[in-house]
């Protein structure tokens, strides 16, 4: 969701190339327009609705002066429809300053009214455009650029990551509040971005801005200050992956590449955390964690489904736990005390709803734990404890390997919190990577996708740990195919949803093992089969579900979490191949963003 790139280099550098590379590196976040501003005199601003390629075509026809300082942006619409005039950057009336912005300025309407009454004409529908006009007011009052920038930021309410360049200046100014910004420290210039992939090919040395901090970036200096203008001591961190890790590596889509990266992602997630001799989960990150009250997991989307897995295990192992959609979490509905533990599950570590819930928990005095993929993210920095899932960079909007790693990580967290010690559990976790690889090597998901690509709708059912996987299977399919899909606890199909099934609505049933859950799910399958509904069984062959299925997607015969993770891979592949058959934009599905940083 919305991407920022900024660059300040020596005079011989070419900011335009860096900005375009950065915008390309941010395409995965989801966007509907793109633009750049070069700090020439006057400022060169170019922006276009559509993909970065549309902007590049326009730039090829423009008469651009060489410049070593600039900012760029990919926009995901919040205020006003996708258009050239709503695209970022935005400028003041005189073209003195250009601004890019992620987030939402909540008081923009009152600011806009005030500025309009003062004679300012607005060119766009966005909340962002108030910012350059506020900065220009400061300049007209005789303030220096930095002071004018700070004065404008002080008037904003809401969430924002903002970067600005001034006419003829060699400096980029930036500020953040509840929206991520990271600086890249390079030998041939310095970088600013909403996410590391924007500049990872140039440098792996980064500084993460905290809420309320300002950055002043020149060709040879980076200065971080607080709201009062006092210098803040910062730490330069090293990113442990490179540009090649974030590439497609020969796959047609990032999603397919990331599905195939899951065995290695799981191995990384488990590395150094399992003791097969004692059956213990060894999460050093939680060694000093203490709490006494209930555990609440908060998350959104795919991460919420992973949270459901964690809660299922916690409850089984004697811990009072619940999963909540972060957007529904508030202190009134979930009373918190100093004995409470709130766990935020977020791939990016920047999800706005999840961050709001965690901040509310912090204010209430609860202990907070982040389960995230991104080192240095807001969740990682602001929570009392953090467990990294170690999935590596995930570029496709549709989450795949992060979900697998979240399931494994939350299984370990649940074991650590409950004090569970089990060699069988450790062996189950160890078996996941090989089980996924077996599914990848033998899956017939493409044939199933070809058989059902024209279905009217798709239903997914499962019990126990398979229930959140059924929800995730439906989410993945609807995300990238734009087809209707729903997931249900298998026993709930007969309580209403059965009215929707028919010959053109296949039911994907997750059935593993031969116990009570498998038998009951087979009973649910018989209910739909009797009504002429096609059935796809995801199974390990231990039950006789194949008798009632039109197609079978096989998984290895394993127990517990390993079985659910392997079954999910089959559903990921089905979603991918249905989308492929339909010619969808798999990595960048319409209307969606990778990191949702607005509530």
């Amino acid at each position: 969701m919305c991407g920022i790139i900024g660059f300040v280099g020596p005079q011989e550098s070419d900011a335009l190339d860096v900005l375009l590379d950065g915008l390309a590196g941010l395409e995965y976040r989801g966007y509907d327009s793109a633009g750049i501003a070069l700090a020439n005199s006057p400022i060169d601003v170019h922006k276009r609705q559509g993909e970065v390629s549309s902007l590049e075509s326009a730039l090829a026809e423009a008469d651009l002066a060489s410049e070593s300082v600039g900012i760029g942006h990919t926009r995901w619409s919040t205020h006003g429809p996708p258009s050239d005039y709503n695209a970022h950057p935005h400028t003041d009336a005189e073209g003195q300053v250009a601004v890019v912005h992620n987030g939402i300025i909540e008081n923009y309407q009152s600011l806009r009214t005030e500025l309009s009454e003062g004679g300012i004409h607005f060119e766009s529908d966005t909340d962002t455009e108030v910012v350059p006009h506020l900065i220009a007011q400061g300049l007209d009052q005789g303030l220096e650029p930095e002071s004018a920038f700070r004065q404008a930021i002080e008037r904003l309410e809401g969430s924002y990551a903002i970067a600005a360049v001034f006419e003829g200046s060699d400096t980029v100014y930036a500020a953040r509040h509840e929206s991520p910004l990271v600086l890249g420290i390079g030998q041939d210039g310095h970088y600013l971005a909403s996410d590391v992939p924007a500049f990872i090919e140039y440098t792996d040395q980064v500084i993460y801005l905290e809420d309320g901090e300002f950055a002043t970036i020149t060709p040879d200096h980076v200065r971080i200050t607080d709201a009062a203008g006092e210098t803040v001591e910062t730490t330069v961190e090293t990113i442990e992956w490179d540009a090649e890790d974030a590439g497609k590596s020969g796959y047609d889509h990032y999603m397919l590449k990331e599905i195939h990266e899951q065995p290695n992602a799981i191995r990384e997630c488990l590395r150094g955390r399992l003791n097969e001799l004692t059956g213990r989960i060894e999460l050093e990150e939680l060694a000093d964690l203490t709490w006494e009250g209930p555990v609440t997991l908060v998350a959104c989307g795919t991460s919420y489904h992973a949270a459901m897995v964690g809660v299922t295990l916690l409850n089984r192992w004697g811990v009072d736990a619940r999963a909540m959609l972060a957007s529904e979490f508030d202190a009134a509905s979930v009373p918190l005390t100093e004995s409470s533990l709130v766990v935020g599950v977020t791939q990016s570590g920047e999800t706005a709803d999840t961050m709001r819930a965690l901040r509310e928990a912090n204010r209430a005095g609860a202990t907070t734990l982040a389960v995230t993929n991104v080192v240095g993210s807001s969740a990682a920095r602001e929570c009392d404890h953090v467990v990294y899932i170690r999935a590596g960079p995930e570029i496709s909007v549709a989450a795949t390997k992060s979900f697998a790693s979240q399931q494994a990580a939350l299984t370990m967290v649940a074991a650590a919190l409950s004090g569970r010690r089990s060699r069988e559990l450790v062996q189950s976790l160890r078996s996941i990577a090989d089980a996924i690889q077996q599914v990848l090597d033998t899956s017939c998901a493409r044939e199933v996708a070809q058989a059902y690509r024209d279905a009217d709708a798709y239903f997914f059912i499962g019990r126990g740990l398979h229930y959140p996987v059924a929800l995730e299977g439906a989410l993945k399919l609807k995300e990238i195919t734009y087809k209707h899909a729903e997931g249900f606890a298998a026993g709930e199909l007969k309580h209403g949803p059965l009215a929707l099934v028919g010959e053109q609505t296949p039911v994907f049933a997750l059935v593993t093992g031969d116990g009570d859950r498998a038998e009951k799910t087979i009973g649910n399958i018989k209910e739909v089969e009797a009504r002429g509904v096609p059935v796809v069984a995801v199974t390990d062959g231990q039950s006789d579900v194949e008798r009632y299925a039109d197609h079978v997607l096989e998984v290895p015969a394993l127990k517990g979490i390993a079985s659910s993770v392997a079954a999910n891979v089959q559903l990921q592949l089905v979603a991918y191949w249905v989308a492929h058959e339909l010619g969808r934009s798999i990595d960048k599905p319409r209307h969606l963003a990778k990191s949702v940083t607005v509530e």
Side-chain angles (χ1 to χ4, degrees):
M1 174 176 291
C2 291
I4 287 174
I5 178 66
F7 175 70
V8 180
Q11 290 186 354
E12 63 271 17
S13 57
D14 190 340
L16 180 59
D17 285 346
V18 175
L19 296 178
L20 291 176
D21 287 344
L23 294 180
L26 293 169
E27 284 191 292
Y28 73 95
R29 294 172 66 90
Y31 69 104
D32 51 51
S33 58
I36 58 100
L38 299 173
N40 292 314
S41 184
I43 294 175
D44 273 331
V45 176
H46 299 271
K47 49 189 183 177
R48 287 292 184 275
Q49 178 184 346
E51 297 190 351
V52 173
S53 57
S54 298
L55 173 64
E56 290 177 323
S57 297
L59 289 171
E61 301 173 0
D63 182 18
L64 292 176
S66 177
E67 184 50 63
S68 57
V69 179
I71 52 177
H73 192 265
T74 53
R75 176 179 185 257
W76 191 80
S77 298
T78 55
H79 294 76
S83 65
D84 289 355
Y85 59 86
N86 282 332
H88 296 214
H90 292 287
T91 66
D92 68 299
E94 302 298 326
Q96 303 171 87
V97 59
V99 167
V100 293
H101 161 235
N102 291 353
I104 292 179
I105 298 170
E106 295 175 357
N107 63 332
Y108 91 98
Q109 192 59 63
S110 61
L111 293 172
R112 185 179 179 118
T113 299
E114 173 191 319
L115 290 164
S116 296
E117 290 175 350
I120 299 298
H121 173 71
F122 283 80
E123 300 289 343
S124 77
D125 305 315
T126 70
D127 56 337
T128 303
E129 196 184 348
V130 300
V131 181
H133 291 302
L134 288 173
I135 295 172
Q137 278 190 341
L139 295 175
D140 293 343
Q141 294 165 4
L143 296 179
E144 293 297 318
E146 181 174 354
S147 297
F149 180 75
R150 285 178 174 275
Q151 178 176 276
I153 297 300
E154 288 174 0
R155 300 202 59 192
L156 306 182
E157 298 174 7
S159 62
Y160 52 79
I162 292 176
V165 292
F166 290 80
E167 181 180 13
S169 170
D170 68 349
T171 305
V172 171
Y173 299 94
R176 72 153 281 179
H177 178 67
E178 297 183 358
S179 193
L181 272 180
V182 57
L183 306 181
I185 309 303
Q187 294 182 343
D188 299 315
H190 301 312
Y191 308 83
L192 172 77
S194 46
D195 205 354
V196 172
F199 57 70
I200 189 63
E201 67 178 284
Y202 297 104
T203 182
D204 60 1
Q205 302 297 296
V206 302
I207 298 173
Y208 294 96
L209 280 191
E210 303 283 355
D211 278 355
E213 291 183 345
F214 290 74
T216 303
I217 311 164
T218 66
D220 54 8
H221 185 65
V222 171
R223 183 167 60 95
I224 311 298
T225 54
D226 60 18
E230 298 296 325
T231 299
V232 175
E233 295 297 326
T234 59
T235 301
V236 178
E237 301 182 30
T238 301
I239 300 298
E240 296 182 356
W241 47 273
D242 57 28
E244 186 174 346
D245 293 328
K248 291 183 183 177
S249 301
Y251 288 92
D252 289 341
H253 299 93
Y254 284 111
M255 182 180 179
L256 187 60
K257 170 181 177 272
E258 288 158 7
I259 289 173
H260 281 264
E261 287 177 338
Q262 289 179 113
N264 187 60
I266 290 292
R267 293 186 184 100
E268 281 298 305
C269 180
L270 302 178
R271 178 172 47 81
R273 291 169 165 174
L274 304 181
N275 189 323
E276 293 184 74
L277 291 177
T278 65
R280 291 191 59 172
I281 306 297
E282 298 179 344
L283 285 175
E284 294 182 3
E285 303 94 323
L286 304 184
D288 61 346
L289 171 64
T290 58
W291 95 103
E292 297 176 359
V295 180
T296 303
L297 281 75
V298 293
C300 306
T302 290
S303 294
Y304 176 70
H305 300 152
M308 292 176 66
V309 171
V311 166
T312 298
L313 294 173
L314 283 165
N315 289 336
R316 284 185 187 178
W317 297 338
V319 177
D320 180 11
R322 59 193 161 188
M324 288 193 67
L325 291 166
S327 57
E328 293 294 314
F329 178 93
D330 64 77
S333 60
V334 186
L336 298 174
T337 68
E338 293 181 0
S339 64
S340 303
L341 174 62
V342 177
V343 182
V345 187
T346 162
Q347 187 281 136
S348 67
E350 304 292 350
T351 310
D353 289 313
T354 305
M355 288 308 305
R356 180 196 55 78
L358 289 170
R359 287 165 180 150
E360 193 164 339
N362 279 331
R363 286 192 293 270
T367 299
T368 52
L369 164 65
V371 178
T372 185
N373 192 35
V374 181
V375 177
S377 60
S378 294
R381 297 196 310 278
E382 296 183 29
C383 286
D384 300 312
H385 304 269
V386 58
V387 171
Y388 291 111
I389 67 171
R390 303 174 180 169
E394 187 176 65
I395 305 302
S396 178
V397 168
T400 52
K401 66 176 180 176
S402 63
F403 181 58
S405 296
Q406 284 173 334
Q407 291 176 87
L410 286 168
T411 299
M412 292 188 288
V413 168
L417 296 182
S418 65
R420 186 169 182 81
R421 192 183 285 191
S422 167
R423 290 183 180 178
E424 183 179 48
L425 174 60
V426 169
Q427 291 167 357
S428 177
L429 288 165
R430 288 281 191 208
S431 68
I432 294 175
D434 289 341
I436 294 175
Q437 191 61 58
Q438 184 174 332
V439 169
L440 294 173
D441 291 343
T442 62
S443 177
C444 62
R446 188 169 191 175
E447 289 79 1
V448 172
Q450 290 170 339
Y452 297 112
R453 56 162 283 177
D454 296 320
D456 294 335
Y458 305 78
F459 295 91
F460 298 78
I461 60 173
R463 290 174 183 265
L465 291 172
H466 288 341
Y467 170 39
V469 171
L471 294 176
E472 175 63 15
L475 176 62
K476 210 54 51 194
L477 194 137
K478 72 180 81 172
E479 277 181 320
I480 63 170
T481 69
Y482 317 149
K483 304 274 272 186
H484 180 72
E486 293 295 334
F488 303 98
E492 290 300 298
L493 198 62
K494 59 184 177 290
H495 294 290
L498 201 58
L500 298 173
V501 301
E503 294 180 357
Q504 294 300 312
T505 55
V507 172
F508 289 76
L510 289 81
V511 185
T512 59
D514 57 359
D516 186 54
R517 283 195 179 91
E519 291 180 10
K520 288 182 178 180
T521 305
I522 290 173
N524 303 130
I525 292 170
K526 290 178 181 177
E527 292 170 349
V528 299
E529 186 211 22
R531 291 161 174 79
V533 178
V535 174
V536 180
V538 183
T539 182
D540 57 8
Q542 295 189 65
S543 65
D544 62 351
V545 67
E546 294 92 337
R547 293 173 50 191
Y548 310 102
D550 298 274
H551 291 85
V552 173
L553 294 169
E554 297 180 355
V555 297
L558 300 168
K559 294 182 179 180
I561 188 65
S563 175
S564 295
V565 177
N568 180 67
V569 176
Q570 288 284 22
L571 300 185
Q572 291 172 346
L573 290 167
V574 169
Y576 174 83
W577 288 116
V578 171
H580 188 277
E581 288 290 315
L582 295 172
R584 304 302 193 217
S585 177
I586 291 175
D587 286 329
K588 294 180 284 183
R590 67 188 183 193
H591 310 319
L592 300 181
K594 182 63 178 174
S595 179
V596 183
T597 54
V598 295
E599 295 180 33

